[in-house]
Amino acid sequence: MTAEEKFKELLKKIFQYNKDKIDLDFGVYRVFKHKEVEIQNFIEKKLPSFIKENLDGLEAITIYNHVLEFFERYYQDGDFYPIPIYATTKHHILRHNGEEIIFSWANKDQYYIKSIENFSVYKIRRENLYNDDLYNTETQAVNFIVNEIDDTKGNNKTARVFTLSSKKAEFVKNEGFNIYLDYKYKSKNITEIDENELFKIIQNAKINLTIEEITHHLRKFKNLRKSDFFIHKRLEAFLNEELDYYLKTNVLKDIDTLSEIDIKTTQVVKKVGQFIIKFIASLEELQKILWEKKKFAYDVNYIITLDKIPNELIEEILEHKNFKNQIDEWIELNLIEEFKKDELYDNLLNELKPEYKYLPLDTKNFDDEELKYKILENIENLDETIDGILINSDNFHALNLVLNKYKGKLKCVYIDPPYNTGSDEFIYKDSYRHSSWLSLMENRLMLMKKMFSSDTPLFISIDDRELCNLKQLMNDCFNEFASKTIVVKTAEPTGKKMASVIKTGSLPKLKEYVLIFKKNKISGFNFERIPKKEWDKEYKTILLNVDKEEMLFIKSIRDNKSFTDSNLKKVEQILSKIELTSLSNYAEKKNIKIDDEWKYKNAWRIVRDASLEGSAKLIADEKNLSIKERDKIFYIITSQKKMYFIKSGYNMEVESPRVKLLFADDYLTLHCGDFWSDIKTTGLDNEGYIEFLNAKKPLKLINRLITSVVSDKKYILDYFAGSGTTGQAVIQNNINEKKRDSFLLCETNEYFESKLKKRILLSIYNEKYSSIIKYYRLEQYEDTLENSKLKKSTDTKSYIQSLEPLKEYMNELYNTKYLTLYKDFVKESSKALLMDDTVFNDPFNFTLKVNIDSKLLEKKMDLVETFNTLKGIEVKSIKLRYFKNKKYVFVDGKNEVVIWREFDIDTLNQEEELEFIKVNCDISKELYINGISQTHTKKELVAKESIFELRALLVEGVK
């Protein structure tokens, strides 16, 4: 094989050109498929022609040998790597920019993408697969299609196998011959499909595939599930940098023996190399655009407890035709045995009975948009009132969507990423196990970092497998952050499982870690204190009318001797409202049982009295004279700058009155420190009201972390949400600490509904948590690919010229980024990127094809939710109205109003519509309206075009 032929074969591998006779229908293969003619033309015609034109008297074989050697260094198994491979020895040279220490990995500078999570179709295409007379079709294809998938039982996916489905193989017109497979847990009745079983089906269908070919394709199909994919972030710049290095070290080797031929060779190889690089990088850039593009939200629904819904609206809900769906869900969740609407209210109080008050109503069960908007309209300060958000999406896309909305609003972040055990949900490329994991983590950490404020802490759970790599990565990405490592005891070195450890002489795993990162330094936390073995019965008085954060403030002033005038004034204000009572009186009044566990939990506000004497008594006596009420609390500061809290109204004649207050948490508890041995981390399978084997963190662990954060910010983010432990921990913390924090949870896996959402529903009811939760799905990378079509022509001038009259409605971002997409994508067939012009007058019926549970469905995208989130609008209220039978949604934000409407330009009465708009919103705020350029001039109504704004926001991060 000549050098030219070898190089052409390499390019075919790079572009997956006719690879294994497969027509793969996902990820990068879609891009290559769209550009197949262009790729073929480049390899077979344009490149040879370009090389021939630029040889400048050199031999073609010389140029081909150099470009072949260069590109082979950086391409391996479908991806470009930033570490060059030299010859067969795979000797590596790592260059850097003068850093003392450099941390790198094989997939650095690449996006880690999981493009086949939904089991896309595996399609084998070629001519003469079967007889046209037999099937009467032009479609020559055999398709492997996953029909049913067993729900995951935890984070272990290795126990599931592909098996032949009960759905019979069939020919489907315009698709080909479909063979249906299920993805099931292996058992006595479930066996993994093999090539012989498939070959029988192929033979019976008279399809021209050999047993060897079937074996090859079946193995390929199974391995796709175990593969990962990457997109290089800066491929053109990277390869050009490396090309310069290659030329210096491999062509211009020795300056003393440098010839004119060497210089000419260098110039030609560089010109040819750059020509090839530009073409390769152009396709990588297309993938990058599709990945970075912010995604549409859809299936937006709300979970709301009945106590938050007005009585008259509850009556309407009870009569709704789909209310039975809601009853069925409550019964299935074991929240009720039956629903008796006549027994819903306590007739004496005219309010919901306790057993119905916290029933979580799910708007999904009603499939009624008008009802959803009626419920939302009754909620003031909607965004502030929402107690949690669940997003079903790859976490990169989820973070990319919510970035503007929650930037600077995060109270803390907790993540429990895959530990990269080989049996968890993280799938890695062969021989790049750690590198792939690092890319996954780095991509998402850097995106999340943009949301941080200076006081936002990050907690990461991890074990020994990736601890070292994670610390190195965090040093690389978060070098301005301080860090600490907490060791969490996870097991006891006892029991039957230790038998094999003793036998082999190995070391048992007894611990995991929580890494803490915070800007500047690790301080300002209020970590839970650990109870000592026995409660001191002298601590028997409780403080009333004060919350934990107020007491924390007082004690911080006391302990840090921060005695400024403003601090002392605030201390006085807090102390002045406190009342004291005995624990026994408190228990009787509240009708609760007070045991040691309860006491330790409330140790921050339980006190005992101690003797006051000496100079401290003299200072207290003087202050006590000015306080008329008994049993109030005041502070004193001694000459040694010590602050004490004193109970007023005491007899000053007594030499050592017992009026100095000592707090139980100061004396009966210990700081938890950085070794946590008191949290049970085993036997958690059923914690949180759901079964989820080997995949849950203990509630107590997450509770301790989030309660340690002292902040007035609202949101707690977890973008590896799993079964939702963080969500339940926030719910419990809000109830116990009387807070209104909100969780923001992202989860991509198929158990979003069956585990995560279910746990939140059960937690709301069982914890008696009056709340409203929002949840939705996001379009994914594969969906963007499905709904985008690449252009063959690059002529975009005519369309861009037609937009000239509308430029006043376009922002700069729209002009610089959005319009550039027209050079590569067909506008009418690339709805995910460019949308279509029908959205200007009908934004409520904009649809995309999306993959849900391995089925392609047409779904309405929610432009209202997408815009609110991308724009970062703080929604105060939202309502649905109709004007002349046309739908209008009014979003009242803190600083802006967004109006979404459907209209017919030929029949719209602008004057009447304007009056209708003024009645329903405040037009003095910044206004966004779809189709404004078609219906109103700026003399009538000053507003921005929401569709242009949305289109620009969608590609905001695209470079």
Side-chain angles (χ1 to χ4, degrees):
M1 190 182 289
T2 66
E4 178 179 353
E5 289 170 335
K6 284 181 181 178
F7 186 63
K8 284 182 178 180
E9 284 303 309
L10 176 63
L11 287 178
K12 287 177 181 179
K13 282 183 183 178
I14 290 173
F15 295 121
Q16 313 293 320
Y17 181 59
N18 285 337
K19 184 181 179 183
D20 298 328
K21 304 170 186 174
I22 310 169
D23 184 2
L24 296 174
D25 201 24
F26 61 85
V28 61
Y29 304 107
R30 284 185 187 269
V31 176
F32 293 153
K33 185 173 158 185
H34 280 305
K35 291 282 190 179
E36 187 171 9
V37 174
E38 195 175 332
I39 291 168
Q40 183 179 10
N41 186 54
F42 179 83
I43 294 172
E44 303 293 347
K45 295 179 181 178
K46 288 184 75 173
L47 179 60
S49 175
F50 184 85
I51 291 176
K52 189 175 181 180
E53 290 171 9
N54 290 277
L55 279 175
D56 196 17
L58 297 172
E59 293 287 334
I61 189 171
T62 304
I63 307 305
Y64 276 114
N65 279 333
H66 277 300
V67 292
L68 177 62
E69 183 182 353
F70 171 73
F71 282 102
E72 277 184 332
R73 290 181 170 194
Y74 299 95
Y75 176 79
Q76 184 184 354
D77 299 332
D79 291 294
F80 285 95
Y81 291 94
I83 301 174
I85 298 169
Y86 294 89
T88 56
T89 59
K90 293 194 174 182
H91 175 65
H92 300 288
I93 294 176
L94 181 64
R95 297 175 297 284
H96 60 95
N97 297 314
E99 301 94 335
E100 180 187 6
I101 298 171
I102 185 169
F103 181 56
S104 190
W105 61 93
N107 304 112
K108 196 171 186 179
D109 275 341
Q110 296 182 337
Y111 285 125
Y112 171 86
I113 62 173
K114 294 176 71 174
S115 61
I116 55 166
E117 185 63 33
N118 287 316
F119 297 95
S120 296
V121 173
Y122 182 99
K123 186 177 291 186
I124 307 166
R125 297 186 69 160
R126 75 163 191 238
E127 293 180 4
N128 302 318
L129 264 179
Y130 38 74
N131 191 312
D132 285 351
D133 294 333
L134 184 65
Y135 291 106
N136 190 26
T137 180
E138 294 179 2
T139 306
Q140 293 279 333
V142 173
N143 307 310
F144 296 166
I145 299 175
V146 178
N147 187 47
E148 290 184 14
I149 305 171
D150 271 355
D151 187 23
T152 184
K153 295 178 180 177
N155 65 356
N156 189 332
K157 297 187 176 181
T158 56
R160 291 184 289 181
V161 296
F162 290 104
T163 184
L164 196 62
S165 176
S166 58
K167 186 174 181 179
K168 300 296 183 185
E170 60 180 343
F171 169 76
V172 178
K173 192 173 182 181
N174 298 325
E175 290 185 19
F177 189 77
N178 291 349
I179 299 175
Y180 300 100
L181 304 171
D182 294 340
Y183 194 50
K184 298 279 189 180
Y185 277 96
K186 201 169 183 178
S187 66
K188 290 180 181 178
N189 301 320
I190 300 293
T191 55
E192 188 170 9
I193 191 168
D194 62 22
E195 56 273 17
N196 296 315
E197 197 172 4
L198 268 183
F199 187 55
K200 283 181 185 176
I201 296 171
I202 292 295
Q203 278 186 313
N204 291 336
K206 300 190 183 323
I207 293 172
N208 301 320
L209 286 173
T210 65
I211 183 69
E212 290 79 16
E213 288 174 318
I214 288 295
T215 302
H216 169 79
H217 287 302
L218 181 60
R219 183 174 64 250
K220 204 80 179 169
F221 169 72
K222 289 178 179 178
N223 286 341
L224 285 172
R225 179 66 179 160
K226 299 173 184 176
S227 300
D228 50 18
F229 296 86
F230 297 88
I231 297 171
H232 206 292
K233 297 177 186 177
R234 47 183 295 276
L235 185 61
E236 184 171 9
F238 161 69
L239 287 177
N240 277 324
E241 290 164 8
E242 297 300 315
L243 179 61
D244 283 347
Y245 182 79
Y246 170 83
L247 293 171
K248 290 171 187 174
T249 56
N250 285 62
V251 185
L252 305 173
K253 293 178 183 178
D254 188 345
I255 196 167
D256 295 326
T257 61
L258 198 61
S259 69
E260 188 177 334
I261 292 293
D262 292 331
I263 295 171
K264 189 182 287 187
T265 301
T266 302
Q267 292 169 337
V268 175
V269 171
K270 182 168 185 175
K271 189 180 287 187
V272 172
Q274 288 176 336
F275 182 71
I276 298 166
I277 287 168
K278 194 166 190 65
F279 183 74
I280 292 173
S282 69
L283 296 183
E284 194 83 354
E285 283 298 309
L286 291 176
Q287 295 179 71
K288 193 175 134 197
I289 285 171
L290 296 166
W291 176 258
E292 289 181 338
K293 194 242 13 170
K294 300 192 177 184
K295 310 307 182 200
F296 289 101
Y298 68 97
D299 282 356
V300 181
N301 278 292
Y302 295 81
I303 298 163
I304 181 166
T305 49
L306 291 184
D307 67 315
K308 283 191 169 288
I309 302 174
N311 289 359
E312 60 272 18
L313 192 49
I314 289 179
E315 294 303 316
E316 182 179 334
I317 290 168
L318 297 180
E319 299 302 320
H320 196 281
K321 63 180 181 179
N322 293 332
F323 184 56
K324 186 180 181 303
N325 296 339
Q326 182 63 77
I327 295 173
D328 291 344
E329 181 181 71
W330 287 336
I331 292 172
E332 185 181 344
L333 291 170
N334 293 317
L335 305 186
I336 58 173
E337 292 182 1
E338 61 177 329
F339 186 83
K340 299 177 180 177
K341 65 180 181 180
D342 295 337
E343 299 180 10
L344 197 60
Y345 294 96
D346 184 326
N347 292 328
L348 294 175
L349 300 174
N350 193 31
E351 63 179 38
L352 292 167
K353 289 182 178 178
E355 60 267 35
Y356 293 109
K357 196 173 181 181
Y358 301 103
L359 280 174
L361 181 137
D362 188 345
T363 58
K364 178 184 177 181
N365 291 318
F366 296 86
D367 192 24
D368 184 337
E369 193 174 47
E370 289 197 24
L371 177 63
K372 181 173 76 175
Y373 276 112
K374 274 187 183 179
I375 293 171
L376 296 180
E377 190 175 341
N378 281 280
I379 300 169
E380 294 182 7
N381 296 318
L382 181 61
D383 275 355
E384 187 63 29
T385 304
I386 288 175
D387 299 286
I389 297 152
L390 310 175
I391 305 175
N392 187 193
S393 168
D394 180 287
N395 46 22
F396 180 90
H397 299 315
L399 291 170
N400 206 18
L401 179 82
V402 304
L403 177 61
N404 291 337
K405 178 104 174 179
Y406 302 104
K407 188 174 184 178
K409 297 178 182 178
L410 297 182
K411 181 172 185 174
C412 68
V413 179
Y414 169 79
I415 56 172
D416 179 23
Y419 283 7
N420 206 2
T421 62
S423 63
D424 55 22
E425 72 269 24
F426 177 66
I427 311 298
Y428 55 87
K429 199 172 191 70
D430 291 343
S431 80
Y432 286 103
R433 173 173 177 173
H434 300 289
S435 181
S436 296
W437 186 88
L438 282 165
S439 288
L440 164 84
M441 293 297 292
E442 187 265 351
N443 297 164
R444 287 138 184 88
L445 283 166
M446 292 306 291
L447 197 53
M448 175 212 67
K449 185 182 177 184
K450 295 178 181 178
M451 301 167 69
F452 267 46
S453 52
S454 59
D455 61 343
T456 306
L458 166 63
F459 305 106
I460 309 179
S461 285
I462 201 69
D463 75 354
D464 291 291
R465 291 175 185 86
E466 295 291 356
L467 175 66
C468 180
N469 283 331
L470 179 60
K471 282 192 168 186
Q472 291 273 26
L473 176 66
M474 294 303 294
N475 289 339
D476 201 44
C477 300
F478 289 70
N479 57 7
E480 76 275 31
F481 279 55
S483 68
K484 289 283 186 182
T485 302
I486 295 170
V487 178
V488 181
K489 184 179 177 184
T490 59
E492 295 287 344
T494 59
K496 292 181 180 178
K497 68 178 180 179
M498 290 298 119
S500 63
V501 169
I502 295 168
K503 185 178 179 181
T504 60
S506 59
L507 285 170
K509 179 186 175 182
L510 303 179
K511 70 190 183 315
E512 290 181 0
Y513 309 93
V514 174
L515 305 187
I516 305 178
F517 297 88
K518 191 179 179 188
K519 205 159 191 178
N520 302 323
K521 61 180 180 177
I522 305 296
S523 63
F525 290 94
N526 175 33
F527 278 107
E528 177 187 15
R529 296 175 72 87
I530 308 301
K532 289 184 177 178
K533 288 186 178 179
E534 191 174 343
W535 183 265
D536 183 344
K537 293 181 181 178
E538 289 294 312
Y539 289 89
K540 55 188 177 183
T541 301
I542 188 168
L543 308 185
L544 307 178
N545 303 331
V546 64
D547 62 38
K548 197 171 184 177
E549 285 194 10
E550 289 173 323
M551 285 310 306
L552 181 65
F553 172 78
I554 288 174
K555 291 176 183 177
S556 71
I557 301 304
R558 175 197 67 184
D559 298 338
N560 295 318
K561 299 181 180 178
S562 181
F563 304 144
T564 64
D565 290 343
S566 60
N567 283 344
L568 293 177
K569 186 175 182 180
K570 189 173 178 181
V571 169
E572 283 183 347
Q573 289 173 345
I574 294 170
L575 292 176
S576 67
K577 65 179 183 176
I578 294 176
E579 295 180 7
L580 298 93
T581 189
S582 68
L583 282 173
S584 56
N585 286 342
Y586 184 81
E588 184 179 350
K589 185 177 179 181
K590 295 287 186 179
N591 193 25
I592 59 172
K593 180 185 176 182
I594 293 182
D595 54 15
D596 281 0
E597 183 181 355
W598 189 94
K599 291 175 187 175
Y600 278 117
K601 199 170 185 178
N602 288 273
W604 58 273
R605 58 176 180 149
I606 297 176
V607 298
R608 59 165 287 188
D609 47 35
S611 297
L612 182 69
E613 53 193 22
S615 61
K617 180 178 181 297
L618 296 177
I619 297 169
D621 284 350
E622 186 176 346
K623 206 163 186 179
N624 186 45
L625 286 171
S626 62
I627 300 175
K628 297 178 181 179
E629 296 178 77
R630 290 181 59 82
D631 293 339
K632 299 301 287 184
I633 302 176
F634 63 88
Y635 73 86
I636 62 168
I637 299 173
T638 68
S639 56
Q640 290 81 31
K641 298 298 181 184
K642 289 185 177 180
M643 177 182 275
Y644 295 122
F645 301 111
I646 312 298
K647 185 168 61 173
S648 70
Y650 62 90
N651 185 353
M652 291 182 290
E653 300 298 322
V654 176
E655 186 176 347
S656 301
R658 295 180 62 85
V659 290
K660 182 170 68 173
L661 298 182
L662 305 180
F663 286 85
D665 61 342
D666 289 332
Y667 293 93
L668 300 183
T669 61
L670 304 169
H671 195 286
C672 57
D674 64 358
F675 178 72
W676 296 358
S677 60
D678 63 308
I679 294 178
K680 185 182 178 185
T681 56
T682 57
L684 305 174
D685 293 346
N686 294 307
E687 186 179 77
Y689 314 109
I690 61 166
E691 182 181 326
F692 200 49
L693 301 175
N694 306 316
K696 284 189 280 191
K697 280 292 180 286
L699 267 168
K700 189 173 181 180
L701 173 67
I702 314 301
N703 259 315
R704 180 173 294 174
L705 292 173
I706 64 176
T707 55
S708 73
V709 181
V710 181
S711 170
D712 57 359
K713 292 184 172 62
K714 179 179 173 68
Y715 296 98
I716 292 155
L717 170 65
D718 181 352
Y719 57 89
F720 288 99
S723 70
T725 306
T726 301
Q728 188 178 355
V730 172
I731 288 172
Q732 289 185 346
N733 188 39
N734 282 346
I735 293 169
N736 295 334
E737 305 297 330
K738 296 181 174 57
K739 293 182 179 179
R740 295 306 297 183
D741 291 336
S742 291
F743 52 79
L744 178 56
L745 309 183
C746 312
E747 180 54 56
T748 187
N749 282 312
E750 66 256 31
Y751 50 73
F752 177 85
E753 289 272 348
S754 62
K755 304 298 181 188
L756 173 57
K757 182 186 157 193
K758 182 179 179 181
R759 181 173 189 170
I760 297 301
L761 286 166
L762 290 168
S763 297
I764 286 170
Y765 183 76
N766 290 306
E767 309 277 355
K768 296 181 170 49
Y769 185 56
S770 174
S771 61
I772 177 169
I773 310 295
K774 176 164 66 179
Y775 69 96
Y776 53 87
R777 292 179 182 268
L778 284 188
E779 165 208 7
Q780 298 297 283
Y781 171 59
E782 286 296 328
D783 302 328
T784 309
L785 284 161
E786 179 68 40
N787 294 277
S788 301
K789 186 175 180 182
L790 289 160
K791 259 186 181 176
K792 292 187 174 73
S793 166
T794 57
D795 177 25
T796 59
K797 290 181 181 177
S798 59
Y799 182 79
I800 293 175
Q801 284 172 359
S802 71
L803 294 177
E804 283 295 322
L806 306 176
K807 273 199 169 179
E808 65 173 314
Y809 295 98
M810 302 181 196
N811 63 22
E812 184 182 348
L813 184 65
Y814 186 92
N815 277 300
T816 57
K817 290 188 178 179
Y818 173 74
L819 291 181
T820 60
L821 298 176
Y822 282 97
K823 76 180 191 306
D824 288 310
F825 294 93
V826 179
K827 178 176 173 289
E828 295 76 14
S829 305
S830 300
K831 294 168 70 175
L833 275 171
L834 302 168
M835 308 173 70
D836 55 44
D837 289 346
T838 61
V839 294
F840 283 101
N841 63 315
D842 185 9
F844 305 112
N845 289 301
F846 173 67
T847 63
L848 294 179
K849 292 176 183 176
V850 294
N851 195 319
I852 300 177
D853 298 331
S854 299
K855 293 178 176 62
L856 206 59
L857 304 174
E858 192 87 18
K859 282 279 189 177
K860 290 182 182 178
M861 298 296 106
D862 194 318
L863 302 192
V864 178
E865 181 65 36
T866 305
F867 189 83
N868 289 345
T869 309
L870 287 178
K871 190 68 181 170
I873 292 173
E874 188 178 324
V875 179
K876 310 293 282 183
S877 66
I878 190 167
K879 63 187 177 185
L880 170 66
R881 293 289 185 269
Y882 286 91
F883 172 69
K884 306 280 187 172
N885 294 320
K886 297 292 186 182
K887 182 175 165 183
Y888 285 68
V889 171
F890 293 88
V891 178
D892 183 21
K894 183 178 180 182
N895 303 308
E896 57 279 289
V897 169
V898 187
I899 303 170
W900 296 94
R901 58 186 180 144
E902 55 183 6
F903 63 86
D904 183 344
I905 188 64
D906 295 326
T907 60
L908 180 67
N909 184 312
Q910 282 92 341
E911 290 182 7
E912 290 182 6
E913 188 200 40
L914 188 56
E915 290 305 310
F916 168 75
I917 287 174
K918 288 178 179 177
V919 168
N920 283 284
C921 70
D922 178 4
I923 65 168
S924 67
K925 289 185 177 181
E926 186 175 34
L927 271 180
Y928 290 91
I929 306 177
N930 63 289
I932 183 68
S933 57
Q934 302 175 46
T935 57
H936 293 277
T937 68
K938 288 202 171 183
K939 290 181 181 178
E940 298 165 348
L941 190 61
V942 178
K944 295 179 180 178
E945 175 54 70
S946 58
I947 300 302
F948 288 152
E949 187 76 12
L950 176 55
R951 282 172 164 172
L953 288 167
L954 289 169
V955 295
E956 187 179 37
V958 174
K959 297 177 180 62

